[in-house]
Amino acid sequence: MDRFQMQPNRHNQRPCPTLLHVQRLFASLLLLPGIAVTAADAAPASRWRHGWGLVETAAPARHSSSPAFAHLILEPRAGGHTVIARNLLAGPVQVRLRGHNCTPAAQAVTPVVLQPGEQRALLWLPGDGSRQQLLLDAFPGVPAIRADDHVYQLPFRAAPVRVSQASSGHYSHTDAQNLHAVDFPLPEGTPVLAARAGKVMQAVDATADLGSLMRILHEDGSMAVYAHLQAGSLRLPPGQRVEAGQWLAASGNTGRSSGPHLHFAVQINTGLALASIPFRMGSARGELRFPRTTP
């Protein structure tokens, strides 16, 4: 079994914004008479980890998709407006509509899971002139799945196996979504391979702060995140079937990164929240044993 020593890595050291800051910084606001509708992937951590950003880049790459998980739409109906949520991913998304400061109009709306491309009416608002501000929370995946005990393949072959930050790494692997992530230092342009078969759920290319990433949905409902990829290197579009070992993209240094590396994590939806989970990974020399540090 391989064992690896931690190597200094100082990427992603900016403090994470609070929930209130997230809503203010990354909200998409649509104003109609008496109505304010906000869509936000609300959870406290850095942008690329959640897929925040509700405005697509002006010139997306060929295989790139929106960095947002879901979108809110208002449609006039019966003297008011119907509030509709649309899934933007090639995989399931759990959404919850709520009011800012507990707006009564949204309190009765329960969370729902939208299938790929699905849009669903969540609420009808009367056109009585009252002002409503609504927030849409969106989290990829089906909640409360049970991940298989799967041995993942090493997501690269053309470079030595090194680890700069692993589980509980105090530089940036401290929040729930990245607690069990692993960072592999790689030269830019190294082929990044699928560690497990699945489907491309999300492919985001070279947004201002997100950088480039791919999210792969597995049969058991878990999702692998490959982040800090090289801009313009994404080889597969959302919805594409992926086999283990297939070339996904090239490693890079995009987003909140201070050096070329691949950030790899396996995540699940725990119910209106994302969490990384421990995973097993094999190599030509046997199963890897990742170092563990504490904050």
Side-chain angles (χ1 to χ4, degrees), residues 12-289:
N12 291 338
Q13 293 188 63
R14 302 179 192 176
C16 297
T18 63
L19 174 60
L20 180 59
H21 289 158
V22 168
Q23 294 166 354
R24 287 177 177 172
L25 289 173
F26 315 123
S28 175
L29 187 62
L30 176 61
L31 293 174
L32 289 177
I35 302 174
V37 178
T38 302
D41 299 317
S46 62
R47 302 185 197 179
W48 64 263
R49 296 173 182 172
H50 296 261
W52 285 330
L54 297 165
V55 180
E56 296 189 34
T57 55
R62 178 186 173 194
H63 297 310
S64 181
S65 59
S66 168
F69 295 147
H71 179 60
L72 271 181
I73 303 169
L74 289 179
E75 288 188 356
R77 184 177 71 85
H81 289 86
T82 299
V83 182
I84 300 170
R86 179 187 177 196
N87 180 1
L88 299 178
L89 300 188
V93 170
Q94 185 184 29
V95 299
R96 174 184 59 186
L97 186 67
R98 59 189 174 90
H100 181 60
N101 293 330
C102 298
T103 304
Q107 285 183 351
V109 180
T110 58
V112 298
V113 174
L114 302 179
Q115 296 305 312
E118 180 184 358
Q119 61 180 43
R120 189 182 305 184
L122 301 181
L123 185 70
W124 179 77
L125 295 174
D128 57 7
S130 62
R131 182 173 180 83
Q132 300 283 355
Q133 184 175 17
L134 302 178
L135 298 169
L136 183 70
D137 297 327
F139 298 88
V142 174
I145 63 96
R146 184 170 183 175
D148 298 337
D149 183 20
H150 184 83
V151 179
Y152 289 78
Q153 294 184 14
L154 193 67
F156 56 91
R157 297 195 190 102
V161 179
R162 296 181 296 146
V163 172
S164 58
Q165 187 178 196
S167 181
S168 299
H170 64 275
Y171 295 112
S172 60
H173 296 177
T174 56
D175 62 293
Q177 294 189 31
N178 299 278
L179 185 65
H180 298 289
V182 175
D183 290 344
F184 297 101
L186 294 173
E188 291 193 56
T190 302
V192 173
L193 313 176
R196 181 179 180 180
K199 181 178 73 171
V200 179
M201 186 177 188
Q202 184 183 30
V204 178
D205 189 74
T207 56
D209 287 327
L210 297 174
S212 299
L213 65 89
M214 294 188 76
R215 181 182 294 271
I216 306 297
L217 176 66
H218 308 134
E219 286 188 1
D220 61 0
S222 63
M223 300 164 286
V225 177
Y226 304 75
H228 302 306
L229 302 174
Q230 189 175 67
S233 73
L234 307 185
R235 300 173 67 89
L236 302 174
Q240 176 72 49
R241 171 71 184 177
V242 175
E243 299 302 329
Q246 189 170 348
W247 191 350
L248 300 178
S251 64
N253 189 26
T254 60
R256 295 186 176 184
S257 171
S258 63
H261 73 285
L262 171 66
H263 175 100
F264 179 85
V266 178
Q267 297 178 338
I268 60 172
N269 182 333
T270 58
L272 295 172
L274 280 177
S276 60
I277 59 174
F279 61 87
R280 299 168 62 194
M281 181 170 284
S283 72
R285 297 172 58 189
E287 187 171 338
L288 308 183
R289 294 295 185 186

